[in-house]
Amino acid sequence: NNDPKNRKREARVCAEIARRLIEKAGGFAASSESFKDRRLAGLDRAIHYFEVACERQPEDAPNQHDLGRAYRLKGAGKKAIAAFRRAAQLNQAEKLYAYDLGLECIGLGQIAEAIESLQRAVQISPAYDDAHGVLGEVFFRQNEHEKAVAHLQASLGSGKRNPPRLGLLVRSLCARGEYLRVTEELDRRKGDPSPFPDDRDATYAAGRSYSAAGRFEEAIVWMKQVPGRPDATYFLGCAYANRKEYAAARTCFDQLAGADGEWARKAVLQRAHLLLVQGCNEDAEKDYRQVVAADPKNCEALHALGDLALARGDCEDAVALLSTAVSIEPDSVDLVVVDLQIGTMGG
């Protein structure tokens, strides 16, 4: 029957039957995993009726959108995207259509279209928290941290609680070296004892940020929550050292020094500094020489060894060590002073 009124009526009836079938099977809010066995038959029937409704009335955006949602429950991602795309084209002022299209595109790895659709959703509704949050997650995964921060902050609003997104925000800010902004975000949420309980990377980033901000007591609290991470153990030791809790700092550095890799080398260097502060010059020198053996261009260790040589009156060794350091980093303020000392000694 090609009569427009009849086609519209048939579309309305078919869509109503489809929605009732979906509701009986668990509703659009149910997960696709829940549509198994007997309920799957109901979903298939619902999809059939939605398809008929959309064939009868192809310009009906709500029906196209619901067809997409039904396909999504079925796990038919490509068909869902096609239906969501039609809905979004038919009604370009509806934020949900653009949002659902963006979500489904992410699921199939169509990131460029996902970003475009989600950005359209926030253009339609600038305070659309969910769309901002998903955009933040997408940009975070692409290491576009400036964009991730902007959208994640918009999604969280003024202190809104969403642990996964707060964790991503903290990690993005830390990746950009914006440590003070991390502490500001967390200070605003001090009433929440566990703002992101399942995100060890965010917990580490929080500790790193408090440490960089010179708030070592708080840094220790955060770093102790991620045992087993070499980077966290290292900065935990540094925080203890800055608080002059030398025994605790030494424990952290000893734990790392016996291993291999970057954090082991860093720990040996910090342990040497610690020994030097405590007056254990011979042990400090052993650690500094271990660092230089592994990294001959480590100016920090070369400089310290030169100072130790000067302290014991070994001018020849001091000149050799400090000259090497100056040749590697001649623009360092400290090493310029050393250069002047070398010049005096050489004369």
Side-chain angles (χ1 to χ4, degrees), residues 1-9:
N1 190 337
N2 291 321
D3 181 72
K5 290 183 178 179
N6 286 338
R7 292 177 67 85
K8 188 173 183 179
R9 181 168 56 252

Side-chain angles (χ1 to χ4, degrees), residues 258-276:
D260 296 320
E262 175 191 4
W263 296 105
R265 292 193 296 272
K266 288 177 177 286
V268 172
L269 180 61
Q270 293 303 323
R271 184 174 66 185
H273 293 338
L274 199 64
L275 290 165
L276 196 62

Side-chain angles (χ1 to χ4, degrees), residues 50-224:
F50 274 132
E51 287 175 338
V52 172
C54 290
E55 188 275 327
R56 295 289 192 274
Q57 200 75 15
E59 72 279 7
D60 189 304
N63 286 349
Q64 295 284 359
H65 179 247
D66 282 347
L67 174 60
R69 295 164 79 191
Y71 280 140
R72 181 165 60 192
L73 288 173
K74 176 80 171 176
K78 290 183 179 180
K79 289 184 176 181
I81 286 176
F84 287 142
R85 194 179 286 140
R86 286 194 295 270
Q89 289 169 347
L90 287 166
N91 186 349
Q92 298 183 21
E94 175 51 63
K95 65 179 184 180
L96 183 59
Y97 299 169
Y99 175 75
D100 277 345
L101 174 57
L103 282 186
E104 202 64 26
C105 286
I106 290 172
L108 289 188
Q110 299 179 17
I111 304 304
E113 184 174 0
I115 290 173
E116 181 183 349
S117 297
L118 291 165
Q119 287 177 330
R120 191 183 318 125
V122 297
Q123 288 171 355
I124 295 167
S125 177
Y128 198 175
D129 296 343
D130 288 339
H132 278 297
V134 176
L135 276 169
E137 293 166 9
V138 171
F139 284 127
F140 176 85
R141 287 194 292 268
Q142 294 188 319
N143 290 319
E144 296 188 55
H145 292 296
E146 183 177 2
K147 293 179 181 178
V149 165
H151 287 290
L152 289 166
Q153 282 192 316
S155 76
L156 291 167
S158 55
K160 188 173 295 181
R161 193 175 194 280
N162 186 313
R165 287 177 184 166
L166 178 60
L168 292 182
L169 174 60
V170 165
R171 289 164 64 185
S172 277
L173 287 169
C174 188
R176 286 173 55 77
E178 297 188 66
Y179 303 121
L180 289 178
R181 288 183 65 184
V182 172
T183 61
E184 289 169 1
E185 287 289 340
L186 295 176
D187 286 347
R188 283 201 292 271
R189 294 169 171 82
K190 283 213 167 177
D192 187 346
S194 187
F196 25 77
D198 301 318
D199 192 335
R200 286 170 56 85
D201 290 330
T203 301
Y204 165 77
R208 179 74 186 90
S209 298
Y210 277 106
S211 180
R215 296 167 62 173
F216 300 112
E217 184 174 0
E218 289 153 297
I220 289 169
V221 172
W222 284 100
M223 289 300 187
K224 287 172 73 174

Side-chain angles (χ1 to χ4, degrees), residues 59 126 167 177 184 193 209 213 218 245 248 250 285 312 345:
E59 72 279 7
E184 289 169 1
S209 298
E218 289 153 297
E245 297 181 43
R250 177 68 183 269
E285 184 168 347
R312 65 171 181 270
M345 291 165 55

